[in-house]
Amino acid sequence: MSVAKAVIWKPSEHADEYIVFVDDVKEYEAWKEDKSIALSRFLGQFAIFKSATSGHTGSLGEISKQEIENVFFGDEKNVKDKSVDAAITLILQHGHVDNKDLSHSFKLNKNPARGANESRPPQAYGAGAGSGHGR
């Protein structure tokens, strides 16, 4: 099984590093030339991470939607799409692939929709709450 690679983007010299994980680097490289390729073909998770410490080698956590809006889109009123997908696209366009194994920082699971793996991404606390089971 191949290990997901991190695409890292740092907006400025003194800013935090933001990370997206790519399952298929070749497909990602093809996407950079042909944006008609769906992100789901090479992304395992549609999430943006940053280190709780400094740099990208510490323990990683997913950033909030508020942080996405502040960091990636700021006060720009002309931006219509301030979604996670739009921010991920910015990281993929301007970031660089880090070939180090960051599996010690975050447990990665490949996109199970592609069939190579039956595992699921880690779920947030309270996931499944209110599902009606056990009532």
Side-chain angles (χ1 to χ4, degrees), residues 14-15 21 25 38 45 50 67 70 72 77 85 94 97 104 109-110 113 120 122-123:
H14 299 290
F21 289 97
V25 175
Q45 296 180 341
K50 77 172 186 177
E67 186 170 0
N70 292 341
F72 293 89
K77 306 288 186 221
D85 290 2
H94 303 292
V97 175
H104 67 281
N109 296 308
K110 292 182 136 288
R120 300 278 184 246
Q123 295 192 356

PDB file of all heavy atoms in Angstrom, residues 14-15 21 25 38 45 50 67 70 72 77 85 94 97 104 109-110 113 120 122-123:
ATOM      1  N   HIS A  14       6.329  33.931   7.612  1.00  0.00           N
ATOM      2  CA  HIS A  14       6.082  33.742   9.047  1.00  0.00           C
ATOM      3  C   HIS A  14       4.718  33.133   9.345  1.00  0.00           C
ATOM      4  O   HIS A  14       4.296  33.087  10.488  1.00  0.00           O
ATOM      5  CB  HIS A  14       6.231  35.071   9.780  1.00  0.00           C
ATOM      6  CG  HIS A  14       7.611  35.643   9.648  1.00  0.00           C
ATOM      7  ND1 HIS A  14       8.707  35.081  10.259  1.00  0.00           N
ATOM      8  CD2 HIS A  14       8.078  36.695   8.947  1.00  0.00           C
ATOM      9  CE1 HIS A  14       9.794  35.770   9.941  1.00  0.00           C
ATOM     10  NE2 HIS A  14       9.443  36.751   9.141  1.00  0.00           N
ATOM     11  N   ALA A  15       4.040  32.642   8.324  1.00  0.00           N
ATOM     12  CA  ALA A  15       2.709  32.053   8.506  1.00  0.00           C
ATOM     13  C   ALA A  15       2.813  30.559   8.821  1.00  0.00           C
ATOM     14  O   ALA A  15       3.858  29.946   8.648  1.00  0.00           O
ATOM     15  CB  ALA A  15       1.886  32.252   7.235  1.00  0.00           C
ATOM     16  N   PHE A  21      -3.401  16.090   2.001  1.00  0.00           N
ATOM     17  CA  PHE A  21      -2.778  14.815   1.691  1.00  0.00           C
ATOM     18  C   PHE A  21      -3.276  14.271   0.363  1.00  0.00           C
ATOM     19  O   PHE A  21      -4.467  14.230   0.098  1.00  0.00           O
ATOM     20  CB  PHE A  21      -3.015  13.805   2.814  1.00  0.00           C
ATOM     21  CG  PHE A  21      -2.232  14.147   4.047  1.00  0.00           C
ATOM     22  CD1 PHE A  21      -2.823  14.833   5.085  1.00  0.00           C
ATOM     23  CD2 PHE A  21      -0.895  13.818   4.134  1.00  0.00           C
ATOM     24  CE1 PHE A  21      -2.094  15.178   6.208  1.00  0.00           C
ATOM     25  CE2 PHE A  21      -0.154  14.153   5.257  1.00  0.00           C
ATOM     26  CZ  PHE A  21      -0.758  14.842   6.301  1.00  0.00           C
ATOM     27  N   VAL A  25       0.200  10.829  -6.346  1.00  0.00           N
ATOM     28  CA  VAL A  25       1.003  11.983  -6.777  1.00  0.00           C
ATOM     29  C   VAL A  25       0.993  12.123  -8.293  1.00  0.00           C
ATOM     30  O   VAL A  25       0.935  13.245  -8.807  1.00  0.00           O
ATOM     31  CB  VAL A  25       2.450  11.894  -6.226  1.00  0.00           C
ATOM     32  CG1 VAL A  25       3.307  13.022  -6.758  1.00  0.00           C
ATOM     33  CG2 VAL A  25       2.439  11.913  -4.700  1.00  0.00           C
ATOM     34  N   ALA A  38     -10.964  15.347 -11.667  1.00  0.00           N
ATOM     35  CA  ALA A  38     -11.645  15.508 -10.377  1.00  0.00           C
ATOM     36  C   ALA A  38     -10.654  15.356  -9.222  1.00  0.00           C
ATOM     37  O   ALA A  38      -9.795  14.459  -9.239  1.00  0.00           O
ATOM     38  CB  ALA A  38     -12.760  14.488 -10.245  1.00  0.00           C
ATOM     39  N   GLN A  45      -8.862  12.642   1.532  1.00  0.00           N
ATOM     40  CA  GLN A  45      -9.711  13.386   2.457  1.00  0.00           C
ATOM     41  C   GLN A  45      -9.796  14.826   1.984  1.00  0.00           C
ATOM     42  O   GLN A  45      -8.786  15.421   1.624  1.00  0.00           O
ATOM     43  CB  GLN A  45      -9.133  13.367   3.867  1.00  0.00           C
ATOM     44  CG  GLN A  45      -9.073  11.992   4.475  1.00  0.00           C
ATOM     45  CD  GLN A  45      -8.493  12.039   5.876  1.00  0.00           C
ATOM     46  OE1 GLN A  45      -7.840  12.982   6.263  1.00  0.00           O
ATOM     47  NE2 GLN A  45      -8.736  10.987   6.632  1.00  0.00           N
ATOM     48  N   LYS A  50      -3.021  21.485   9.831  1.00  0.00           N
ATOM     49  CA  LYS A  50      -1.817  22.221  10.208  1.00  0.00           C
ATOM     50  C   LYS A  50      -1.313  21.623  11.504  1.00  0.00           C
ATOM     51  O   LYS A  50      -2.047  20.942  12.214  1.00  0.00           O
ATOM     52  CB  LYS A  50      -2.059  23.716  10.326  1.00  0.00           C
ATOM     53  CG  LYS A  50      -2.756  24.164  11.563  1.00  0.00           C
ATOM     54  CD  LYS A  50      -2.765  25.686  11.645  1.00  0.00           C
ATOM     55  CE  LYS A  50      -3.335  26.132  12.968  1.00  0.00           C
ATOM     56  NZ  LYS A  50      -3.305  27.563  13.113  1.00  0.00           N
ATOM     57  N   GLU A  67     -11.108  29.433  10.209  1.00  0.00           N
ATOM     58  CA  GLU A  67      -9.697  29.631   9.876  1.00  0.00           C
ATOM     59  C   GLU A  67      -9.483  29.584   8.365  1.00  0.00           C
ATOM     60  O   GLU A  67      -8.695  30.350   7.817  1.00  0.00           O
ATOM     61  CB  GLU A  67      -8.815  28.598  10.582  1.00  0.00           C
ATOM     62  CG  GLU A  67      -7.335  28.866  10.384  1.00  0.00           C
ATOM     63  CD  GLU A  67      -6.438  28.018  11.260  1.00  0.00           C
ATOM     64  OE1 GLU A  67      -6.928  27.195  12.057  1.00  0.00           O
ATOM     65  OE2 GLU A  67      -5.212  28.188  11.147  1.00  0.00           O
ATOM     66  N   ASN A  70     -10.524  32.974   7.054  1.00  0.00           N
ATOM     67  CA  ASN A  70      -9.575  34.024   7.440  1.00  0.00           C
ATOM     68  C   ASN A  70      -8.247  33.918   6.707  1.00  0.00           C
ATOM     69  O   ASN A  70      -7.723  34.909   6.197  1.00  0.00           O
ATOM     70  CB  ASN A  70      -9.322  33.992   8.952  1.00  0.00           C
ATOM     71  CG  ASN A  70     -10.533  34.393   9.752  1.00  0.00           C
ATOM     72  OD1 ASN A  70     -11.465  35.022   9.249  1.00  0.00           O
ATOM     73  ND2 ASN A  70     -10.551  34.001  11.009  1.00  0.00           N
ATOM     74  N   PHE A  72      -7.303  31.908   3.958  1.00  0.00           N
ATOM     75  CA  PHE A  72      -7.272  31.746   2.505  1.00  0.00           C
ATOM     76  C   PHE A  72      -7.997  32.845   1.745  1.00  0.00           C
ATOM     77  O   PHE A  72      -7.671  33.115   0.604  1.00  0.00           O
ATOM     78  CB  PHE A  72      -7.840  30.373   2.120  1.00  0.00           C
ATOM     79  CG  PHE A  72      -6.978  29.246   2.585  1.00  0.00           C
ATOM     80  CD1 PHE A  72      -7.155  28.691   3.838  1.00  0.00           C
ATOM     81  CD2 PHE A  72      -5.963  28.759   1.791  1.00  0.00           C
ATOM     82  CE1 PHE A  72      -6.338  27.656   4.283  1.00  0.00           C
ATOM     83  CE2 PHE A  72      -5.146  27.733   2.219  1.00  0.00           C
ATOM     84  CZ  PHE A  72      -5.341  27.179   3.474  1.00  0.00           C
ATOM     85  N   LYS A  77     -14.017  40.634  -0.572  1.00  0.00           N
ATOM     86  CA  LYS A  77     -15.468  40.575  -0.784  1.00  0.00           C
ATOM     87  C   LYS A  77     -15.813  39.986  -2.153  1.00  0.00           C
ATOM     88  O   LYS A  77     -16.912  39.517  -2.363  1.00  0.00           O
ATOM     89  CB  LYS A  77     -16.084  41.979  -0.686  1.00  0.00           C
ATOM     90  CG  LYS A  77     -15.741  42.707   0.594  1.00  0.00           C
ATOM     91  CD  LYS A  77     -16.472  42.117   1.768  1.00  0.00           C
ATOM     92  CE  LYS A  77     -16.208  42.971   2.994  1.00  0.00           C
ATOM     93  NZ  LYS A  77     -15.996  42.226   4.178  1.00  0.00           N
ATOM     94  N   ASP A  85     -13.157  23.152  -0.457  1.00  0.00           N
ATOM     95  CA  ASP A  85     -12.645  22.728  -1.767  1.00  0.00           C
ATOM     96  C   ASP A  85     -11.837  23.833  -2.441  1.00  0.00           C
ATOM     97  O   ASP A  85     -10.790  23.572  -3.037  1.00  0.00           O
ATOM     98  CB  ASP A  85     -13.783  22.294  -2.685  1.00  0.00           C
ATOM     99  CG  ASP A  85     -14.429  20.985  -2.252  1.00  0.00           C
ATOM    100  OD1 ASP A  85     -14.013  20.426  -1.222  1.00  0.00           O
ATOM    101  OD2 ASP A  85     -15.343  20.532  -2.951  1.00  0.00           O
ATOM    102  N   HIS A  94      -0.462  26.077  -5.300  1.00  0.00           N
ATOM    103  CA  HIS A  94       0.705  26.848  -4.859  1.00  0.00           C
ATOM    104  C   HIS A  94       1.646  26.095  -3.926  1.00  0.00           C
ATOM    105  O   HIS A  94       2.726  26.586  -3.618  1.00  0.00           O
ATOM    106  CB  HIS A  94       0.242  28.138  -4.171  1.00  0.00           C
ATOM    107  CG  HIS A  94      -0.633  28.982  -5.044  1.00  0.00           C
ATOM    108  ND1 HIS A  94      -0.159  29.621  -6.168  1.00  0.00           N
ATOM    109  CD2 HIS A  94      -1.948  29.273  -4.976  1.00  0.00           C
ATOM    110  CE1 HIS A  94      -1.142  30.275  -6.746  1.00  0.00           C
ATOM    111  NE2 HIS A  94      -2.250  30.083  -6.056  1.00  0.00           N
ATOM    112  N   VAL A  97       4.988  19.202  -2.927  1.00  0.00           N
ATOM    113  CA  VAL A  97       4.890  17.855  -2.377  1.00  0.00           C
ATOM    114  C   VAL A  97       6.070  17.622  -1.451  1.00  0.00           C
ATOM    115  O   VAL A  97       7.216  17.880  -1.802  1.00  0.00           O
ATOM    116  CB  VAL A  97       4.880  16.788  -3.498  1.00  0.00           C
ATOM    117  CG1 VAL A  97       4.905  15.384  -2.904  1.00  0.00           C
ATOM    118  CG2 VAL A  97       3.673  16.967  -4.393  1.00  0.00           C
ATOM    119  N   HIS A 104       3.483   9.476  11.185  1.00  0.00           N
ATOM    120  CA  HIS A 104       3.604   9.597  12.632  1.00  0.00           C
ATOM    121  C   HIS A 104       2.789  10.775  13.164  1.00  0.00           C
ATOM    122  O   HIS A 104       2.442  10.820  14.328  1.00  0.00           O
ATOM    123  CB  HIS A 104       5.073   9.789  13.020  1.00  0.00           C
ATOM    124  CG  HIS A 104       5.630  11.096  12.541  1.00  0.00           C
ATOM    125  ND1 HIS A 104       6.025  11.280  11.233  1.00  0.00           N
ATOM    126  CD2 HIS A 104       5.803  12.285  13.158  1.00  0.00           C
ATOM    127  CE1 HIS A 104       6.444  12.537  11.081  1.00  0.00           C
ATOM    128  NE2 HIS A 104       6.314  13.158  12.227  1.00  0.00           N
ATOM    129  N   ASN A 109      -5.897   7.436   6.051  1.00  0.00           N
ATOM    130  CA  ASN A 109      -6.611   6.338   5.425  1.00  0.00           C
ATOM    131  C   ASN A 109      -6.925   6.745   4.002  1.00  0.00           C
ATOM    132  O   ASN A 109      -7.429   7.824   3.756  1.00  0.00           O
ATOM    133  CB  ASN A 109      -7.912   6.045   6.171  1.00  0.00           C
ATOM    134  CG  ASN A 109      -7.659   5.581   7.573  1.00  0.00           C
ATOM    135  OD1 ASN A 109      -6.888   4.662   7.790  1.00  0.00           O
ATOM    136  ND2 ASN A 109      -8.297   6.208   8.544  1.00  0.00           N
ATOM    137  N   LYS A 110      -6.630   5.859   3.076  1.00  0.00           N
ATOM    138  CA  LYS A 110      -6.926   6.168   1.673  1.00  0.00           C
ATOM    139  C   LYS A 110      -8.427   6.275   1.463  1.00  0.00           C
ATOM    140  O   LYS A 110      -9.207   5.770   2.245  1.00  0.00           O
ATOM    141  CB  LYS A 110      -6.348   5.086   0.769  1.00  0.00           C
ATOM    142  CG  LYS A 110      -4.856   5.086   0.765  1.00  0.00           C
ATOM    143  CD  LYS A 110      -4.387   4.029  -0.185  1.00  0.00           C
ATOM    144  CE  LYS A 110      -3.298   4.476  -1.037  1.00  0.00           C
ATOM    145  NZ  LYS A 110      -3.308   5.328  -2.049  1.00  0.00           N
ATOM    146  N   ALA A 113     -13.629   4.892  -1.266  1.00  0.00           N
ATOM    147  CA  ALA A 113     -14.480   4.834  -2.448  1.00  0.00           C
ATOM    148  C   ALA A 113     -13.728   4.253  -3.644  1.00  0.00           C
ATOM    149  O   ALA A 113     -14.341   3.772  -4.588  1.00  0.00           O
ATOM    150  CB  ALA A 113     -14.998   6.229  -2.786  1.00  0.00           C
ATOM    151  N   ARG A 120     -11.955   3.634   7.026  1.00  0.00           N
ATOM    152  CA  ARG A 120     -12.662   4.909   6.954  1.00  0.00           C
ATOM    153  C   ARG A 120     -11.806   5.989   7.598  1.00  0.00           C
ATOM    154  O   ARG A 120     -11.018   5.707   8.492  1.00  0.00           O
ATOM    155  CB  ARG A 120     -13.991   4.826   7.713  1.00  0.00           C
ATOM    156  CG  ARG A 120     -14.914   3.768   7.173  1.00  0.00           C
ATOM    157  CD  ARG A 120     -15.663   4.309   5.969  1.00  0.00           C
ATOM    158  NE  ARG A 120     -16.618   3.354   5.485  1.00  0.00           N
ATOM    159  CZ  ARG A 120     -16.538   2.753   4.321  1.00  0.00           C
ATOM    160  NH1 ARG A 120     -15.548   2.981   3.513  1.00  0.00           N
ATOM    161  NH2 ARG A 120     -17.440   1.900   3.945  1.00  0.00           N
ATOM    162  N   PRO A 122     -10.750   9.016  10.093  1.00  0.00           N
ATOM    163  CA  PRO A 122     -11.120   9.230  11.486  1.00  0.00           C
ATOM    164  C   PRO A 122     -12.337  10.148  11.552  1.00  0.00           C
ATOM    165  O   PRO A 122     -12.450  11.089  10.786  1.00  0.00           O
ATOM    166  CB  PRO A 122      -9.893   9.920  12.083  1.00  0.00           C
ATOM    167  CG  PRO A 122      -8.789   9.668  11.131  1.00  0.00           C
ATOM    168  CD  PRO A 122      -9.405   9.448   9.799  1.00  0.00           C
ATOM    169  N   GLN A 123     -13.251   9.850  12.459  1.00  0.00           N
ATOM    170  CA  GLN A 123     -14.444  10.671  12.596  1.00  0.00           C
ATOM    171  C   GLN A 123     -14.304  11.620  13.778  1.00  0.00           C
ATOM    172  O   GLN A 123     -13.637  11.317  14.756  1.00  0.00           O
ATOM    173  CB  GLN A 123     -15.669   9.790  12.788  1.00  0.00           C
ATOM    174  CG  GLN A 123     -15.954   8.957  11.572  1.00  0.00           C
ATOM    175  CD  GLN A 123     -17.317   8.302  11.642  1.00  0.00           C
ATOM    176  OE1 GLN A 123     -18.015   8.415  12.626  1.00  0.00           O
ATOM    177  NE2 GLN A 123     -17.685   7.620  10.581  1.00  0.00           N
TER     178      GLN A 123
END
